[in-house]
Structure formats: structure tokens, C-alpha cells
Amino acid sequence: MEVTYSDRIPNNVGLHDNRRLQRALEAWQPRYLDWWHQMGPESFDAAHVYLRTATDVGRGGWANFDWVRLPEYRWGIFLADPEPDRRVGFGEHRDDPAWQEVPGEYRNQLRRLIVVQGDTEPASVEQQRDLGKTCPSLYDLRNLFQVNVEEGRHLWAMVYLLDAHFGRDGREEAEALLERHAGDADRPRILAAFNEPTTDWLSFFMFTHFTDRDGRFQLEALSESGFDPLARTCQFMLREEAHHMFVGTTGVGRVVQRSCELMREGDTDDLRPLGGIDLHLLQKYINFHFSVSIDLFGGETSSNAASYFSSGLKGRFHERQRSDDHRLLEATYALTEVGAQGLRQVDVPALTAINEGLRDDYIANCQKGLDRWNAILAEQGIATRFTLPHRGFHRSIGIFAGHPITPTGQLVSPEAWAAARDEWLPTDADRAYVHSVMRPVVEPGRIAGWIAPPASGIDDHPVDFEYVRL
Ligand SMILES: [Fe+2]
Ligand SMILES: [Fe+2]
């Protein structure tokens, strides 16, 4: 694939030869930059940041490290290399040639899928706008900005699809992606979890572990799409996404590490006098971020999800590696639901339970992070272990919504649930405490007292490298 470096927008989608598309994107670009200035990282426009920039999808091209001022980041458009003779992998059109153009009958559904995905990308940049001011180290500050610019690029990726394949209404949707804002009373972002500000770095690490991972699983499902440009866009986005989850998983792990050290040094579980984050508080943050993130998968049974699958638009996680019929005409799924006596299982058609299946895969993947954190506890000789709460705990969407279910999956009375709530979820006082330890550390090699340094630096540089020149 040839990259047209001469274009204002680095790309491997032949923008140079498509005047109509080029004009559309060049008209959108200044609005994007306005949005970045207004809603992107506050007060770091002049800083030089050691960032990874994609200039091609090939091995040498997608991870170029260099010093960049954030507003000058080159947000490009890249599709993974095409797969020769690619076929639709699932649903009614299985084995048909993959679509290079939007099938007319699925136009609205496809546009909706792209818009919902696209909406989350700038939303997280908006949510994280203020975080830079309280960074625990320059290494972390750089990682925040890397995540931010890549979420910006993911917005470009979705806007490219809208402009290239959906004509006028695609352009209108591209505009609207810059007009909705996280937490805006009149024009909020589409999904609830993307309207809460990320106010502290513990929340940021939890967000990148849990909520970016929802993003990963949505991209995994879309990367199976029979609409080939969408599949290839998502395949490339997934490479960048992996770094976001690395930031989250290792970030929480470093907090766990530091908390263990403080517990041993002070011979106490109560780390607040030492400026640390105690393990119970970490478990509460896990409970909160896990429960709001699994809401993002939607209702357990969904006719929309069934239709996205049957139509070949959105597959399952690792669709191609599965050995079933890829149509789900006969299969059933054992769904957990809330009965009068408590939780129970019922068999439902697997086709209607696509969302729940993706949630299962997501939960299994989240658990791997917890296993890593628990391994740190074990190494440090601490007996506590973190657990994921039951999927019915603290839900706002689907069959568990509003039911008083405990983290271990017991259906209890609303009074009992309310009485224990502060043991399970962060309280205002907890959040205020976490806030109080978030003081900026911006000297190279120094790190805040509530988190351990990373095991290694970025791009073979040492941990004390000056990753951001302020
Ligand atoms: Fe993203
Ligand atoms: Fe991400």
C-alpha cells in the first residue's frame, strides 16, 4: 500500500486520487482541530511529547516515535491490508464476497454502528481533558497523550468511513460527532459511560483497563464485518487499542504494587495516613468501573444485535476461529436472569443473545488483568485478592437493571443493598481522598507517592527519560 505523505492527511486509502473525499475531509479537518483545542488536553498545546505516530500499516510504518506538539499530531487514515478474496464470515450472507460498498438494504444499520463507535472516541478525550494537570509522572503524562491522540485518530477512522461511503448523511453525522460532548446537558455523548468525567488517575487507569477494553471487544466484533472497509479499519485500530489497555492494566498494577509496599513499610492496611490507596478502595473502583463498562454491551437479548449478526455486519469475538455454523440457526445460550426466587438460567436462542456472548468474552478477558494484579499481591505476600463483581451487580441496562444484587451475585432486599452500598462502591469521601493525593509530578524520573514506577520505559528509553518537554 502506498502512502501519500504529500497529502495533508497521511493515509493509505488513496485520498490523493479521490478529490471528492479529499475535499470532504479537508473541510472537516479545521473543525476537528477547533474541537481538539476546545475539548482536548487542557493547557498542553506548547509541550513537546514523545509520541507514536502511524504513517503506514506495515511493520516499520505504524509506530514512528518522535517529538510532537499535540495540535500538530498527524492524524492519519489507515486500513489494514486487504485479504485477497475475503468472504462474509457469518450470517445469512456467509461465503458471499465481502462488500466493498455499503449494501443498500443495510445502509442505516451500518451507519448507526459506525456512529455509535465513532462517538466514543472523542468522548474519552473530552472525559480526560483535565487529567494532564495532575499526572503522577512524565511517563504517565506521555501515555495519557498517546491514548488521547489515538482516540482522535479513531474518530478520523470512523469519519473517513462516513464520508467515503455514506454521502451527505455521512457528512452530517461526521459534523455531529464534534457537536455532541461528554456530559453536555443538551447534546451528550450517545453512551452513558462516556458522559462521566475522568477526574483522577486511578479512574483513568481503571477506564483504560475496563472501558477501553469494551472498545476493544466492539472493534473485534466489527473487525469481522462483511463490510470490508469497516473490518479493515477496525483491524488497524485494534493495534493501537492494545496500548490503551496496557496503560490501564499496568497502571492499576503499579498502584497495587505501591500499596503493597506501603502496607509492609507501615505494617498497616490503612494507607491514607501514608498517602496511599488501600486495597479495599481499589476493589471499590474495580466494582464501579467493571459494572458501568459491562452496561456498554447493551441488553442481554437484542433483536438489533441478532439482526446485525444475521446481516453479516457485526460478528462475534474471534468469529473465524469458532467451529460452529456461523449462522446460529439452532444454537441456544444459557442466559442468567432474575426470577422471583433469585437468579436462574434459561435457554434462549443464541442468535438473540449475541450481546451477552460478547460480554462473556469481555469478562473473561478482564479477569486476566485481575489475575495479574493478584499475582502482584501474592508476590508481595499479601493475602487479599481482587475479584470481579457478579455481572448483575450495579447495572443500569438490561435484565439486571435496578435489581439489588450483591457483588457475589445474591439477590437481596433494596434496604440491605443500600446499607452495604458504601462497602462496595466508592463514596464521595473516597473520591475526595483519591483526588487529594493527585498532585502533579513533572520532574523527569520522579513519581507520585501512590504509584510505583513502570517496569520499563517507552521505545527502549529509560523510565526517567523526559517523555514530555513542558
Ligand atoms: Fe479508540
Ligand atoms: Fe482506546
Side-chain angles (χ1 to χ4, degrees), residues 121 124 147 150-151 154 207-208 211-213 215-216 219 237 240-245:
E121 312 288 356
S124 64
V147 171
E150 285 176 350
E151 300 304 4
H154 293 176
F207 184 97
T208 38
T211 309
D212 269 273
R213 191 175 308 273
R216 176 193 161 195
L219 292 176
M237 290 163 75
E240 293 165 324
E241 206 59 52
H243 173 69
H244 307 179
M245 277 159 290

Side-chain angles (χ1 to χ4, degrees), residues 3 5 10 49-68 73-74 78 142 146 149-150 236 240 458-459:
V3 180
Y5 292 100
V49 188
Y50 192 70
L51 289 178
R52 175 176 84 180
T53 304
T55 56
D56 187 11
V57 296
R59 197 180 268 176
W62 79 283
N64 291 284
F65 287 89
D66 206 351
W67 296 99
V68 185
Y73 189 77
R74 298 178 79 213
F78 300 99
R142 178 263 168 212
Q146 184 71 56
V149 292
E150 285 176 350
F236 185 66
E240 293 165 324
I458 301 285
D459 188 34

Side-chain angles (χ1 to χ4, degrees), residues 3 14 33 48 55 73 167 172 194 196 204 209 211 221 265 314 324 333 340 348 362 388 402 416 419 440 455:
V3 180
L33 287 174
H48 290 254
T55 56
Y73 189 77
E172 286 168 4
F194 289 90
E196 300 293 329
F204 172 66
H209 179 79
T211 309
E265 281 167 29
K314 183 178 176 184
D324 57 22
Y333 178 92
V348 298
Y362 166 84
L388 287 179

Side-chain angles (χ1 to χ4, degrees), residues 436-458:
S436 75
V437 299
M438 299 289 145
R439 292 197 210 97
V441 177
V442 293
E443 294 80 27
R446 276 200 55 217
I447 187 137
W450 54 271
I451 185 169
S456 53
I458 301 285

